[in-house]
Amino acid sequence: MEQTTMPHSKKPKLIHSDTANIASSNASLDDLSADELAMIFGCLDPVNIMPLRRVCHKWGDAAKKTIVPLTYFMVHSEKSYNAMRAMATALPNLQHLELRWLGYDYSTKITHRYAHGEDPDEEKACSSSDGDDITHNIDMVSNFTKLRVLKLDRAELNGKYPYLFNFPLLQHLKISNCPYLKWDLGALAGFPLLKEFHCTGRDGFLTGNIYSLRVLKDTLARVTIESCPQVEGNFMDLADFPQLKSLILRRMDSITGDIRGIGEATFPKLKNLILPEHVYGGCRYKIMRISEAKDLIATIYSIKKQRHRHPSLFEDFNWNWYLSESSPDIDWYQDQDEFGYPFSCCIVRAGSRLGWRWEMKFDYTPDYHFEVNWLDPLPAKGSSEYQSYTEALQNIQSRMNKYPFFKGYHQPPTEAVFNRLNRQYRPSQEELEIAMNL
């Protein structure tokens, strides 16, 4: 009988010379230079690197050379503040830093806060001063010259802190809920590589003109400025930014502009846009006459049809345009508060087909939709686009059948028609239950 030889299941033994070669290649940590150790430390987060610097002088030098990963490090207590202060000299290549409120120590009844900056708000300074407070300087933050992400959130900063606006490698800056931080948009010139900028002022002390952002024209990809009433300028000053994907200017009363200026050559990469309501075509922009809606929608439609436009532009929940409460077309409506709020219109999509419709908004009960005014032609039957269109259309029609108050109507009716519809309408069980629970 022929014998079958099975493969050997054990690994071959290493000869003495192989063992010697491997042993010689495994250099000990003592043989590594500070630069090599720094590369290893660069795989750890700052909390784990800090204890290693105490091993010996060389390891301390390695920590100073380490480019710390973009690991989240937040200062929100006395303990984390002391850690940051030590890192400013022992780990200066920190890349991600967030400053928050330092908090109140209930055991000692002491509030920890950051020291005031230049020219602080005196009223705020007096209200926050307490004999038992402990203040902490943050000027050592300027040592972190490799910072790429800086976030200031509810940090209780008061006044000007110029050293917070001079990081040549910074790419992401977020400032939120720091109402007494005084600074100007021109300070962003201290971040020549900035890609993302987010500032929620909450009626804060941010000043300047968005034209100042032009020094960052080639790098900025996302800009969000909210509730900063002292910031002014025309949003179209950013129209030629080649990398800008998101522009959000919300509750900004001094921002001007007109979406009719958005052409093929403007905002080439824009995916997300939110504009204040007083800008023509902005979010919640108010028209005075029902007939004006067609012109406004025609402008929106022409922008969406520009060849490089992202399909979601003007289609999220923020984009509704309202018929003003003072419109002469609904002067009769002012005594009809129980029926809801003014009419609004929005873009509607069914598959690839675009249209628009009016809606009647309510606080608690479901909104009433009008029939869709289609802008695109019907997709070819049998195509994949037609199938996706019909599926979406079924959802639109299903909702209309569920709340058919304006079924068959394409725009807000006259007073007489509205009153007749209201008398004839039979609310659904869901609407009745919601109304009974108000």
Side-chain angles (χ1 to χ4, degrees):
M1 174 183 283
E2 182 178 354
Q3 293 184 342
T4 303
T5 304
M6 300 297 293
H8 204 289
S9 61
K10 294 183 179 180
K11 295 181 180 179
K13 294 182 179 180
L14 294 173
I15 61 173
H16 178 74
S17 59
D18 293 329
T19 307
N21 290 334
I22 292 176
S24 63
S25 65
N26 289 330
S28 69
L29 290 176
D30 290 338
D31 296 329
L32 297 178
S33 67
D35 290 336
E36 291 168 328
L37 285 169
M39 294 178 64
I40 297 174
F41 290 175
C43 299
L44 306 174
D45 61 45
V47 175
N48 290 325
I49 298 172
M50 286 297 285
L52 298 178
R53 82 190 196 281
R54 298 181 178 274
V55 171
C56 63
H57 181 73
K58 183 169 67 173
W59 284 42
D61 287 343
K64 290 182 180 180
K65 296 181 178 182
T66 299
I67 304 298
V68 183
L70 283 167
T71 309
Y72 183 73
F73 181 75
M74 180 172 64
V75 179
H76 59 102
S77 64
E78 182 184 20
K79 180 179 178 180
S80 55
Y81 168 80
N82 290 334
M84 178 188 69
R85 186 174 60 180
M87 289 178 185
T89 53
L91 206 61
N93 294 330
L94 190 71
Q95 293 193 91
H96 187 141
L97 177 64
E98 179 171 352
L99 300 181
R100 286 198 168 197
W101 181 51
L102 290 178
Y104 177 76
D105 189 329
Y106 288 93
S107 62
T108 61
K109 297 183 178 181
I110 291 177
T111 298
H112 295 267
R113 60 178 178 81
Y114 300 115
H116 296 321
E118 303 171 7
D119 187 27
D121 180 73
E122 294 299 335
E123 183 176 350
K124 173 62 177 176
C126 291
S127 65
S128 62
S129 62
D130 191 310
D132 294 328
D133 286 0
I134 297 180
T135 61
H136 303 273
N137 290 319
I138 56 170
D139 52 359
M140 81 290 292
V141 171
S142 61
N143 287 4
F144 299 123
T145 57
K146 297 290 195 300
L147 269 186
R148 294 180 182 270
V149 179
L150 176 60
K151 297 180 180 181
L152 310 174
D153 184 12
R154 295 187 292 273
E156 290 290 326
L157 299 170
N158 185 6
K160 300 175 182 178
Y161 300 81
Y163 48 82
L164 292 179
F165 297 90
N166 186 26
F167 297 104
L169 300 181
L170 199 78
Q171 297 182 6
H172 304 269
L173 175 65
K174 182 176 181 179
I175 301 176
S176 54
N177 302 309
C178 296
Y180 295 96
L181 174 64
K182 295 183 178 180
W183 67 290
D184 187 271
L185 281 178
L188 294 180
F191 312 125
L193 300 181
L194 194 66
K195 294 180 179 180
E196 296 188 12
F197 168 54
H198 179 112
C199 182
T200 302
R202 214 181 72 185
D203 299 326
F205 287 88
L206 174 60
T207 59
N209 193 300
I210 59 174
Y211 187 87
S212 301
L213 300 181
R214 293 196 60 80
V215 297
L216 303 170
K217 171 185 172 183
D218 295 326
T219 62
L220 273 179
R222 300 182 183 279
V223 174
T224 299
I225 309 177
E226 300 184 21
S227 302
C228 297
Q230 298 187 70
V231 173
E232 58 186 10
N234 191 318
F235 80 92
M236 290 298 294
D237 286 336
L238 312 184
D240 59 344
F241 281 35
Q243 308 300 328
L244 191 61
K245 297 179 181 178
S246 176
L247 176 60
I248 298 176
L249 302 171
R250 201 194 313 263
R251 295 185 293 276
M252 301 286 290
D253 294 340
S254 298
I255 296 296
T256 61
D258 189 324
I259 64 167
R260 289 172 290 195
I262 300 177
E264 287 277 0
T266 61
F267 298 110
K269 291 189 176 181
L270 198 65
K271 295 181 179 180
N272 186 30
L273 177 65
I274 294 179
L275 297 172
E277 64 180 59
H278 57 274
V279 169
Y280 180 86
C283 301
R284 303 180 67 86
Y285 175 77
K286 294 181 179 180
I287 57 177
M288 289 301 298
R289 306 304 299 258
I290 293 174
S291 58
E292 293 176 18
K294 289 184 178 180
D295 292 335
L296 174 59
I297 294 297
T299 299
I300 299 295
Y301 182 67
S302 66
I303 295 173
K304 287 185 67 63
K305 286 299 180 179
Q306 292 168 3
R307 54 186 173 82
H308 60 274
R309 292 298 167 210
H310 194 272
S312 66
L313 197 64
F314 299 119
E315 292 188 34
D316 68 30
F317 68 93
N318 292 290
W319 287 101
N320 279 272
W321 303 277
Y322 284 79
L323 183 61
S324 173
E325 302 94 324
S326 56
S327 168
D329 292 338
I330 54 168
D331 53 0
W332 52 268
Y333 182 80
Q334 304 308 313
D335 297 327
Q336 307 281 355
D337 290 342
E338 66 270 28
F339 297 125
Y341 292 97
F343 300 97
S344 68
C345 54
C346 63
I347 293 291
V348 176
R349 176 183 290 275
S352 62
R353 193 182 190 191
L354 289 177
W356 68 283
R357 69 169 171 239
W358 285 95
E359 297 178 354
M360 188 176 184
K361 298 290 187 182
F362 292 91
D363 241 351
Y364 304 104
T365 56
D367 299 337
Y368 292 156
H369 293 177
F370 289 77
E371 301 285 2
V372 177
N373 302 289
W374 294 108
L375 299 167
D376 286 337
L378 187 68
K381 289 186 177 181
S383 66
S384 59
E385 290 186 352
Y386 183 78
Q387 182 177 352
S388 61
Y389 160 71
T390 55
E391 291 174 356
L393 184 63
Q394 287 177 0
N395 293 330
I396 293 173
Q397 292 175 336
S398 175
R399 195 188 189 287
M400 174 60 77
N401 293 331
K402 189 175 183 179
Y403 310 111
F405 192 100
F406 292 115
K407 189 171 185 177
Y409 291 84
H410 289 77
Q411 68 177 34
T414 62
E415 179 181 9
V417 173
F418 180 87
N419 289 335
R420 175 173 57 80
L421 294 175
N422 186 55
R423 289 193 301 270
Q424 297 174 347
Y425 186 64
R426 296 295 179 264
S428 66
Q429 186 64 32
E430 177 188 0
E431 292 173 276
L432 292 174
E433 291 177 357
I434 294 175
M436 290 177 62
N437 293 324
L438 292 180

